[in-house]
Amino acid sequence: DAGITQSPRHKVTETGTPVTLRCHQTENHRYMYWYRQDPGHGLRLIHYSYGVKDTDKGEVSDGYSVSRSKTEDFLLTLESATSSQTSVYFCAISGPPLATANYEQYFGPGTRLTVT
Amino acid sequence: GESVGLHLPTLSVQEGDNSIINCAYSNSASDYFIWYKQESGKGPQFIIDIRSNMDKRQGQRVTVLLNKTVKHLSLQIAATQPGDSAVYFCAENIGYSTLTFGKGTMLLVSP
């Protein structure tokens, strides 16, 4: 999985609780992404980062926040989890440190989150 | 949990056949395209990419064709094997360094 790990791999949580998912890379890639994958919707971008402390919203960012304090780590936080956030979450990385063009994205193994 | 493969269009082929998976993309300004393979329970895996200044690119057993006139992308897999069974997604860049993904096609290969 191109030097990408996600933790936890599985989590069950209750509605209203905060949840943080972690993505860690060892590739020194510039860009990091969080997606969710749901049947009938495919992969949808939640947030992405183009450098340390530089992040931007994706298509489905409501209810999620992110932080990137180090090149290798990108955290996704659900401030107050809802049942609609039950999904499989994938992290992806892309691009060398000084990337100025589009590059392929490499995906982690995913985190299956269930909100009850 | 429900599989990502449910409700997807499905292509069923025999082992050894050639497979063609099609994708219509939405943005005429997109200039970078990728095909991914996703096996059950795993993350998407990069297969091959193509930039808009090309209309064909070949890899190992795979070929991607790009027709910008009709905004169509296809993935050809030669001599399909049971291990090729998976969901295949196309993706196009929608902005600098971001991609949007198609909903996917499930490829089923029978021995």
Side-chain angles (χ1 to χ4, degrees), chain B residues 42-72:
Chain B
K42 297 185 178 180
Q45 176 186 359
F46 172 83
I47 302 173
I48 191 168
D49 60 359
I50 188 168
R51 299 190 186 271
S52 60
N53 59 352
M54 304 173 69
D55 53 18
K56 179 179 180 179
R57 191 166 187 218
Q58 289 185 292
Q60 186 177 15
R61 279 201 309 119
V62 296
T63 301
V64 55
L65 299 178
L66 175 62
N67 185 330
K68 295 182 287 294
T69 302
V70 295
K71 293 189 289 185
H72 185 266

PDB file of all heavy atoms in Angstrom, chain B residues 42-72:
ATOM      1  N   LYS B  42     -10.142  -4.073   0.193  1.00  0.00           N
ATOM      2  CA  LYS B  42      -8.853  -3.398   0.040  1.00  0.00           C
ATOM      3  C   LYS B  42      -9.036  -1.991  -0.509  1.00  0.00           C
ATOM      4  O   LYS B  42     -10.107  -1.639  -1.002  1.00  0.00           O
ATOM      5  CB  LYS B  42      -7.952  -4.194  -0.899  1.00  0.00           C
ATOM      6  CG  LYS B  42      -7.588  -5.574  -0.390  1.00  0.00           C
ATOM      7  CD  LYS B  42      -6.595  -6.244  -1.333  1.00  0.00           C
ATOM      8  CE  LYS B  42      -6.179  -7.602  -0.802  1.00  0.00           C
ATOM      9  NZ  LYS B  42      -5.206  -8.257  -1.727  1.00  0.00           N
ATOM     10  N   GLY B  43      -7.976  -1.212  -0.426  1.00  0.00           N
ATOM     11  CA  GLY B  43      -8.002   0.114  -1.017  1.00  0.00           C
ATOM     12  C   GLY B  43      -7.797   0.051  -2.515  1.00  0.00           C
ATOM     13  O   GLY B  43      -7.277  -0.931  -3.047  1.00  0.00           O
ATOM     14  N   PRO B  44      -8.230   1.103  -3.238  1.00  0.00           N
ATOM     15  CA  PRO B  44      -7.993   1.143  -4.683  1.00  0.00           C
ATOM     16  C   PRO B  44      -6.511   1.061  -5.008  1.00  0.00           C
ATOM     17  O   PRO B  44      -5.681   1.646  -4.313  1.00  0.00           O
ATOM     18  CB  PRO B  44      -8.585   2.500  -5.097  1.00  0.00           C
ATOM     19  CG  PRO B  44      -9.581   2.823  -4.033  1.00  0.00           C
ATOM     20  CD  PRO B  44      -9.003   2.261  -2.771  1.00  0.00           C
ATOM     21  N   GLN B  45      -6.215   0.364  -6.086  1.00  0.00           N
ATOM     22  CA  GLN B  45      -4.826   0.151  -6.507  1.00  0.00           C
ATOM     23  C   GLN B  45      -4.626   0.791  -7.875  1.00  0.00           C
ATOM     24  O   GLN B  45      -5.378   0.516  -8.813  1.00  0.00           O
ATOM     25  CB  GLN B  45      -4.549  -1.352  -6.565  1.00  0.00           C
ATOM     26  CG  GLN B  45      -3.178  -1.737  -7.085  1.00  0.00           C
ATOM     27  CD  GLN B  45      -3.048  -3.244  -7.255  1.00  0.00           C
ATOM     28  OE1 GLN B  45      -3.970  -3.993  -6.960  1.00  0.00           O
ATOM     29  NE2 GLN B  45      -1.910  -3.693  -7.747  1.00  0.00           N
ATOM     30  N   PHE B  46      -3.620   1.633  -8.007  1.00  0.00           N
ATOM     31  CA  PHE B  46      -3.301   2.287  -9.279  1.00  0.00           C
ATOM     32  C   PHE B  46      -2.959   1.256 -10.352  1.00  0.00           C
ATOM     33  O   PHE B  46      -2.183   0.327 -10.109  1.00  0.00           O
ATOM     34  CB  PHE B  46      -2.119   3.231  -9.064  1.00  0.00           C
ATOM     35  CG  PHE B  46      -1.552   3.823 -10.319  1.00  0.00           C
ATOM     36  CD1 PHE B  46      -2.128   4.944 -10.886  1.00  0.00           C
ATOM     37  CD2 PHE B  46      -0.434   3.270 -10.929  1.00  0.00           C
ATOM     38  CE1 PHE B  46      -1.608   5.510 -12.034  1.00  0.00           C
ATOM     39  CE2 PHE B  46       0.096   3.820 -12.077  1.00  0.00           C
ATOM     40  CZ  PHE B  46      -0.488   4.944 -12.632  1.00  0.00           C
ATOM     41  N   ILE B  47      -3.585   1.419 -11.543  1.00  0.00           N
ATOM     42  CA  ILE B  47      -3.275   0.526 -12.652  1.00  0.00           C
ATOM     43  C   ILE B  47      -2.450   1.263 -13.707  1.00  0.00           C
ATOM     44  O   ILE B  47      -1.348   0.856 -14.061  1.00  0.00           O
ATOM     45  CB  ILE B  47      -4.546  -0.015 -13.323  1.00  0.00           C
ATOM     46  CG1 ILE B  47      -5.424  -0.767 -12.333  1.00  0.00           C
ATOM     47  CG2 ILE B  47      -4.181  -0.932 -14.501  1.00  0.00           C
ATOM     48  CD1 ILE B  47      -6.769  -1.174 -12.937  1.00  0.00           C
ATOM     49  N   ILE B  48      -3.010   2.338 -14.237  1.00  0.00           N
ATOM     50  CA  ILE B  48      -2.376   3.047 -15.331  1.00  0.00           C
ATOM     51  C   ILE B  48      -2.978   4.441 -15.431  1.00  0.00           C
ATOM     52  O   ILE B  48      -4.129   4.649 -15.027  1.00  0.00           O
ATOM     53  CB  ILE B  48      -2.564   2.272 -16.663  1.00  0.00           C
ATOM     54  CG1 ILE B  48      -1.677   2.848 -17.772  1.00  0.00           C
ATOM     55  CG2 ILE B  48      -4.033   2.230 -17.080  1.00  0.00           C
ATOM     56  CD1 ILE B  48      -1.600   1.960 -19.008  1.00  0.00           C
ATOM     57  N   ASP B  49      -2.204   5.379 -15.918  1.00  0.00           N
ATOM     58  CA  ASP B  49      -2.712   6.734 -16.103  1.00  0.00           C
ATOM     59  C   ASP B  49      -2.431   7.205 -17.524  1.00  0.00           C
ATOM     60  O   ASP B  49      -1.660   6.588 -18.271  1.00  0.00           O
ATOM     61  CB  ASP B  49      -2.133   7.707 -15.075  1.00  0.00           C
ATOM     62  CG  ASP B  49      -0.603   7.812 -15.124  1.00  0.00           C
ATOM     63  OD1 ASP B  49       0.022   7.102 -15.947  1.00  0.00           O
ATOM     64  OD2 ASP B  49      -0.041   8.576 -14.315  1.00  0.00           O
ATOM     65  N   ILE B  50      -3.081   8.302 -17.900  1.00  0.00           N
ATOM     66  CA  ILE B  50      -2.859   8.884 -19.220  1.00  0.00           C
ATOM     67  C   ILE B  50      -3.126  10.372 -19.133  1.00  0.00           C
ATOM     68  O   ILE B  50      -4.055  10.807 -18.432  1.00  0.00           O
ATOM     69  CB  ILE B  50      -3.752   8.200 -20.284  1.00  0.00           C
ATOM     70  CG1 ILE B  50      -3.383   8.678 -21.694  1.00  0.00           C
ATOM     71  CG2 ILE B  50      -5.233   8.437 -20.007  1.00  0.00           C
ATOM     72  CD1 ILE B  50      -4.020   7.849 -22.805  1.00  0.00           C
ATOM     73  N   ARG B  51      -2.320  11.144 -19.828  1.00  0.00           N
ATOM     74  CA  ARG B  51      -2.532  12.587 -19.884  1.00  0.00           C
ATOM     75  C   ARG B  51      -3.203  12.934 -21.204  1.00  0.00           C
ATOM     76  O   ARG B  51      -3.135  12.158 -22.161  1.00  0.00           O
ATOM     77  CB  ARG B  51      -1.210  13.331 -19.690  1.00  0.00           C
ATOM     78  CG  ARG B  51      -0.604  13.019 -18.329  1.00  0.00           C
ATOM     79  CD  ARG B  51       0.565  13.885 -17.936  1.00  0.00           C
ATOM     80  NE  ARG B  51       1.155  13.393 -16.687  1.00  0.00           N
ATOM     81  CZ  ARG B  51       0.774  13.784 -15.470  1.00  0.00           C
ATOM     82  NH1 ARG B  51      -0.185  14.673 -15.329  1.00  0.00           N
ATOM     83  NH2 ARG B  51       1.364  13.278 -14.385  1.00  0.00           N
ATOM     84  N   SER B  52      -3.805  14.096 -21.254  1.00  0.00           N
ATOM     85  CA  SER B  52      -4.666  14.420 -22.389  1.00  0.00           C
ATOM     86  C   SER B  52      -3.913  14.670 -23.687  1.00  0.00           C
ATOM     87  O   SER B  52      -4.533  14.760 -24.741  1.00  0.00           O
ATOM     88  CB  SER B  52      -5.535  15.641 -22.070  1.00  0.00           C
ATOM     89  OG  SER B  52      -4.722  16.756 -21.788  1.00  0.00           O
ATOM     90  N   ASN B  53      -2.589  14.746 -23.619  1.00  0.00           N
ATOM     91  CA  ASN B  53      -1.823  14.912 -24.856  1.00  0.00           C
ATOM     92  C   ASN B  53      -1.537  13.567 -25.539  1.00  0.00           C
ATOM     93  O   ASN B  53      -0.818  13.495 -26.527  1.00  0.00           O
ATOM     94  CB  ASN B  53      -0.515  15.658 -24.592  1.00  0.00           C
ATOM     95  CG  ASN B  53       0.370  14.944 -23.597  1.00  0.00           C
ATOM     96  OD1 ASN B  53      -0.036  13.961 -22.976  1.00  0.00           O
ATOM     97  ND2 ASN B  53       1.585  15.430 -23.440  1.00  0.00           N
ATOM     98  N   MET B  54      -2.102  12.493 -24.966  1.00  0.00           N
ATOM     99  CA  MET B  54      -1.982  11.159 -25.539  1.00  0.00           C
ATOM    100  C   MET B  54      -3.378  10.608 -25.786  1.00  0.00           C
ATOM    101  O   MET B  54      -4.338  11.022 -25.133  1.00  0.00           O
ATOM    102  CB  MET B  54      -1.238  10.232 -24.576  1.00  0.00           C
ATOM    103  CG  MET B  54       0.132  10.724 -24.152  1.00  0.00           C
ATOM    104  SD  MET B  54       0.849   9.694 -22.873  1.00  0.00           S
ATOM    105  CE  MET B  54       1.159   8.199 -23.793  1.00  0.00           C
ATOM    106  N   ASP B  55      -3.488   9.638 -26.721  1.00  0.00           N
ATOM    107  CA  ASP B  55      -4.773   8.968 -26.885  1.00  0.00           C
ATOM    108  C   ASP B  55      -4.695   7.475 -26.569  1.00  0.00           C
ATOM    109  O   ASP B  55      -5.704   6.785 -26.544  1.00  0.00           O
ATOM    110  CB  ASP B  55      -5.354   9.194 -28.279  1.00  0.00           C
ATOM    111  CG  ASP B  55      -4.389   8.825 -29.379  1.00  0.00           C
ATOM    112  OD1 ASP B  55      -3.417   8.090 -29.104  1.00  0.00           O
ATOM    113  OD2 ASP B  55      -4.590   9.285 -30.520  1.00  0.00           O
ATOM    114  N   LYS B  56      -3.482   7.014 -26.278  1.00  0.00           N
ATOM    115  CA  LYS B  56      -3.319   5.597 -25.961  1.00  0.00           C
ATOM    116  C   LYS B  56      -2.073   5.425 -25.106  1.00  0.00           C
ATOM    117  O   LYS B  56      -1.048   6.093 -25.330  1.00  0.00           O
ATOM    118  CB  LYS B  56      -3.175   4.792 -27.253  1.00  0.00           C
ATOM    119  CG  LYS B  56      -2.986   3.298 -27.067  1.00  0.00           C
ATOM    120  CD  LYS B  56      -2.886   2.609 -28.426  1.00  0.00           C
ATOM    121  CE  LYS B  56      -2.693   1.118 -28.285  1.00  0.00           C
ATOM    122  NZ  LYS B  56      -2.616   0.450 -29.618  1.00  0.00           N
ATOM    123  N   ARG B  57      -2.179   4.520 -24.157  1.00  0.00           N
ATOM    124  CA  ARG B  57      -1.008   4.193 -23.344  1.00  0.00           C
ATOM    125  C   ARG B  57      -1.100   2.725 -22.949  1.00  0.00           C
ATOM    126  O   ARG B  57      -2.177   2.247 -22.584  1.00  0.00           O
ATOM    127  CB  ARG B  57      -0.949   5.073 -22.105  1.00  0.00           C
ATOM    128  CG  ARG B  57       0.378   4.965 -21.373  1.00  0.00           C
ATOM    129  CD  ARG B  57       0.574   6.047 -20.360  1.00  0.00           C
ATOM    130  NE  ARG B  57       1.940   5.973 -19.835  1.00  0.00           N
ATOM    131  CZ  ARG B  57       2.258   6.187 -18.577  1.00  0.00           C
ATOM    132  NH1 ARG B  57       1.325   6.496 -17.699  1.00  0.00           N
ATOM    133  NH2 ARG B  57       3.518   6.105 -18.186  1.00  0.00           N
ATOM    134  N   GLN B  58       0.030   2.047 -23.021  1.00  0.00           N
ATOM    135  CA  GLN B  58       0.026   0.614 -22.728  1.00  0.00           C
ATOM    136  C   GLN B  58       0.857   0.306 -21.504  1.00  0.00           C
ATOM    137  O   GLN B  58       1.908   0.912 -21.266  1.00  0.00           O
ATOM    138  CB  GLN B  58       0.567  -0.157 -23.936  1.00  0.00           C
ATOM    139  CG  GLN B  58      -0.392  -0.157 -25.114  1.00  0.00           C
ATOM    140  CD  GLN B  58       0.090  -1.017 -26.256  1.00  0.00           C
ATOM    141  OE1 GLN B  58       1.077  -0.680 -26.897  1.00  0.00           O
ATOM    142  NE2 GLN B  58      -0.599  -2.106 -26.528  1.00  0.00           N
ATOM    143  N   GLY B  59       0.365  -0.675 -20.734  1.00  0.00           N
ATOM    144  CA  GLY B  59       1.119  -1.199 -19.614  1.00  0.00           C
ATOM    145  C   GLY B  59       1.221  -2.705 -19.773  1.00  0.00           C
ATOM    146  O   GLY B  59       1.048  -3.237 -20.876  1.00  0.00           O
ATOM    147  N   GLN B  60       1.451  -3.355 -18.676  1.00  0.00           N
ATOM    148  CA  GLN B  60       1.539  -4.810 -18.748  1.00  0.00           C
ATOM    149  C   GLN B  60       0.130  -5.398 -18.800  1.00  0.00           C
ATOM    150  O   GLN B  60      -0.632  -5.294 -17.849  1.00  0.00           O
ATOM    151  CB  GLN B  60       2.268  -5.347 -17.510  1.00  0.00           C
ATOM    152  CG  GLN B  60       2.530  -6.837 -17.559  1.00  0.00           C
ATOM    153  CD  GLN B  60       3.314  -7.327 -16.362  1.00  0.00           C
ATOM    154  OE1 GLN B  60       3.430  -6.619 -15.367  1.00  0.00           O
ATOM    155  NE2 GLN B  60       3.852  -8.518 -16.432  1.00  0.00           N
ATOM    156  N   ARG B  61      -0.256  -5.942 -19.916  1.00  0.00           N
ATOM    157  CA  ARG B  61      -1.572  -6.532 -20.181  1.00  0.00           C
ATOM    158  C   ARG B  61      -2.715  -5.525 -20.186  1.00  0.00           C
ATOM    159  O   ARG B  61      -3.875  -5.884 -20.354  1.00  0.00           O
ATOM    160  CB  ARG B  61      -1.935  -7.649 -19.170  1.00  0.00           C
ATOM    161  CG  ARG B  61      -1.332  -8.981 -19.445  1.00  0.00           C
ATOM    162  CD  ARG B  61      -2.094 -10.123 -18.768  1.00  0.00           C
ATOM    163  NE  ARG B  61      -2.324  -9.924 -17.352  1.00  0.00           N
ATOM    164  CZ  ARG B  61      -3.527  -9.859 -16.789  1.00  0.00           C
ATOM    165  NH1 ARG B  61      -4.623  -9.961 -17.531  1.00  0.00           N
ATOM    166  NH2 ARG B  61      -3.650  -9.691 -15.489  1.00  0.00           N
ATOM    167  N   VAL B  62      -2.442  -4.272 -19.958  1.00  0.00           N
ATOM    168  CA  VAL B  62      -3.499  -3.264 -19.970  1.00  0.00           C
ATOM    169  C   VAL B  62      -3.183  -2.152 -20.956  1.00  0.00           C
ATOM    170  O   VAL B  62      -2.020  -1.817 -21.174  1.00  0.00           O
ATOM    171  CB  VAL B  62      -3.739  -2.660 -18.568  1.00  0.00           C
ATOM    172  CG1 VAL B  62      -4.249  -3.707 -17.600  1.00  0.00           C
ATOM    173  CG2 VAL B  62      -2.479  -1.999 -18.036  1.00  0.00           C
ATOM    174  N   THR B  63      -4.253  -1.622 -21.533  1.00  0.00           N
ATOM    175  CA  THR B  63      -4.150  -0.482 -22.441  1.00  0.00           C
ATOM    176  C   THR B  63      -5.255   0.493 -22.090  1.00  0.00           C
ATOM    177  O   THR B  63      -6.403   0.074 -21.885  1.00  0.00           O
ATOM    178  CB  THR B  63      -4.319  -0.927 -23.909  1.00  0.00           C
ATOM    179  OG1 THR B  63      -3.305  -1.883 -24.236  1.00  0.00           O
ATOM    180  CG2 THR B  63      -4.204   0.271 -24.849  1.00  0.00           C
ATOM    181  N   VAL B  64      -4.935   1.764 -22.011  1.00  0.00           N
ATOM    182  CA  VAL B  64      -5.949   2.785 -21.798  1.00  0.00           C
ATOM    183  C   VAL B  64      -6.066   3.602 -23.077  1.00  0.00           C
ATOM    184  O   VAL B  64      -5.064   3.980 -23.688  1.00  0.00           O
ATOM    185  CB  VAL B  64      -5.643   3.676 -20.577  1.00  0.00           C
ATOM    186  CG1 VAL B  64      -4.268   4.298 -20.671  1.00  0.00           C
ATOM    187  CG2 VAL B  64      -6.706   4.734 -20.395  1.00  0.00           C
ATOM    188  N   LEU B  65      -7.307   3.831 -23.487  1.00  0.00           N
ATOM    189  CA  LEU B  65      -7.602   4.643 -24.660  1.00  0.00           C
ATOM    190  C   LEU B  65      -8.388   5.864 -24.221  1.00  0.00           C
ATOM    191  O   LEU B  65      -9.300   5.754 -23.398  1.00  0.00           O
ATOM    192  CB  LEU B  65      -8.427   3.840 -25.674  1.00  0.00           C
ATOM    193  CG  LEU B  65      -7.771   2.583 -26.244  1.00  0.00           C
ATOM    194  CD1 LEU B  65      -8.735   1.878 -27.187  1.00  0.00           C
ATOM    195  CD2 LEU B  65      -6.478   2.914 -26.967  1.00  0.00           C
ATOM    196  N   LEU B  66      -8.029   7.001 -24.768  1.00  0.00           N
ATOM    197  CA  LEU B  66      -8.686   8.258 -24.429  1.00  0.00           C
ATOM    198  C   LEU B  66      -9.238   8.895 -25.693  1.00  0.00           C
ATOM    199  O   LEU B  66      -8.492   9.133 -26.647  1.00  0.00           O
ATOM    200  CB  LEU B  66      -7.697   9.203 -23.755  1.00  0.00           C
ATOM    201  CG  LEU B  66      -8.182  10.607 -23.440  1.00  0.00           C
ATOM    202  CD1 LEU B  66      -9.348  10.582 -22.460  1.00  0.00           C
ATOM    203  CD2 LEU B  66      -7.040  11.464 -22.885  1.00  0.00           C
ATOM    204  N   ASN B  67     -10.535   9.169 -25.694  1.00  0.00           N
ATOM    205  CA  ASN B  67     -11.179   9.872 -26.806  1.00  0.00           C
ATOM    206  C   ASN B  67     -11.742  11.172 -26.250  1.00  0.00           C
ATOM    207  O   ASN B  67     -12.816  11.198 -25.648  1.00  0.00           O
ATOM    208  CB  ASN B  67     -12.286   9.011 -27.417  1.00  0.00           C
ATOM    209  CG  ASN B  67     -12.906   9.658 -28.650  1.00  0.00           C
ATOM    210  OD1 ASN B  67     -12.965  10.887 -28.777  1.00  0.00           O
ATOM    211  ND2 ASN B  67     -13.356   8.834 -29.576  1.00  0.00           N
ATOM    212  N   LYS B  68     -11.002  12.253 -26.447  1.00  0.00           N
ATOM    213  CA  LYS B  68     -11.402  13.531 -25.863  1.00  0.00           C
ATOM    214  C   LYS B  68     -12.612  14.117 -26.577  1.00  0.00           C
ATOM    215  O   LYS B  68     -13.349  14.907 -25.991  1.00  0.00           O
ATOM    216  CB  LYS B  68     -10.224  14.502 -25.907  1.00  0.00           C
ATOM    217  CG  LYS B  68      -9.057  14.059 -25.031  1.00  0.00           C
ATOM    218  CD  LYS B  68      -7.923  15.050 -25.053  1.00  0.00           C
ATOM    219  CE  LYS B  68      -7.149  15.035 -26.350  1.00  0.00           C
ATOM    220  NZ  LYS B  68      -6.437  13.748 -26.544  1.00  0.00           N
ATOM    221  N   THR B  69     -12.808  13.742 -27.832  1.00  0.00           N
ATOM    222  CA  THR B  69     -13.923  14.285 -28.603  1.00  0.00           C
ATOM    223  C   THR B  69     -15.257  13.932 -27.964  1.00  0.00           C
ATOM    224  O   THR B  69     -16.161  14.768 -27.876  1.00  0.00           O
ATOM    225  CB  THR B  69     -13.882  13.766 -30.044  1.00  0.00           C
ATOM    226  OG1 THR B  69     -12.631  14.129 -30.629  1.00  0.00           O
ATOM    227  CG2 THR B  69     -15.022  14.357 -30.868  1.00  0.00           C
ATOM    228  N   VAL B  70     -15.362  12.688 -27.502  1.00  0.00           N
ATOM    229  CA  VAL B  70     -16.613  12.238 -26.890  1.00  0.00           C
ATOM    230  C   VAL B  70     -16.471  12.027 -25.388  1.00  0.00           C
ATOM    231  O   VAL B  70     -17.357  11.455 -24.750  1.00  0.00           O
ATOM    232  CB  VAL B  70     -17.135  10.953 -27.575  1.00  0.00           C
ATOM    233  CG1 VAL B  70     -17.512  11.241 -29.020  1.00  0.00           C
ATOM    234  CG2 VAL B  70     -16.105   9.836 -27.501  1.00  0.00           C
ATOM    235  N   LYS B  71     -15.374  12.476 -24.820  1.00  0.00           N
ATOM    236  CA  LYS B  71     -15.121  12.363 -23.375  1.00  0.00           C
ATOM    237  C   LYS B  71     -15.290  10.924 -22.893  1.00  0.00           C
ATOM    238  O   LYS B  71     -16.088  10.620 -21.995  1.00  0.00           O
ATOM    239  CB  LYS B  71     -16.023  13.326 -22.597  1.00  0.00           C
ATOM    240  CG  LYS B  71     -15.682  14.791 -22.860  1.00  0.00           C
ATOM    241  CD  LYS B  71     -16.425  15.755 -21.933  1.00  0.00           C
ATOM    242  CE  LYS B  71     -17.883  15.816 -22.261  1.00  0.00           C
ATOM    243  NZ  LYS B  71     -18.599  16.835 -21.459  1.00  0.00           N
ATOM    244  N   HIS B  72     -14.519  10.052 -23.490  1.00  0.00           N
ATOM    245  CA  HIS B  72     -14.632   8.626 -23.205  1.00  0.00           C
ATOM    246  C   HIS B  72     -13.251   8.036 -22.946  1.00  0.00           C
ATOM    247  O   HIS B  72     -12.277   8.356 -23.629  1.00  0.00           O
ATOM    248  CB  HIS B  72     -15.293   7.912 -24.390  1.00  0.00           C
ATOM    249  CG  HIS B  72     -15.553   6.476 -24.148  1.00  0.00           C
ATOM    250  ND1 HIS B  72     -14.655   5.497 -24.536  1.00  0.00           N
ATOM    251  CD2 HIS B  72     -16.589   5.828 -23.562  1.00  0.00           C
ATOM    252  CE1 HIS B  72     -15.142   4.320 -24.197  1.00  0.00           C
ATOM    253  NE2 HIS B  72     -16.308   4.491 -23.615  1.00  0.00           N
TER     254      HIS B  72
END
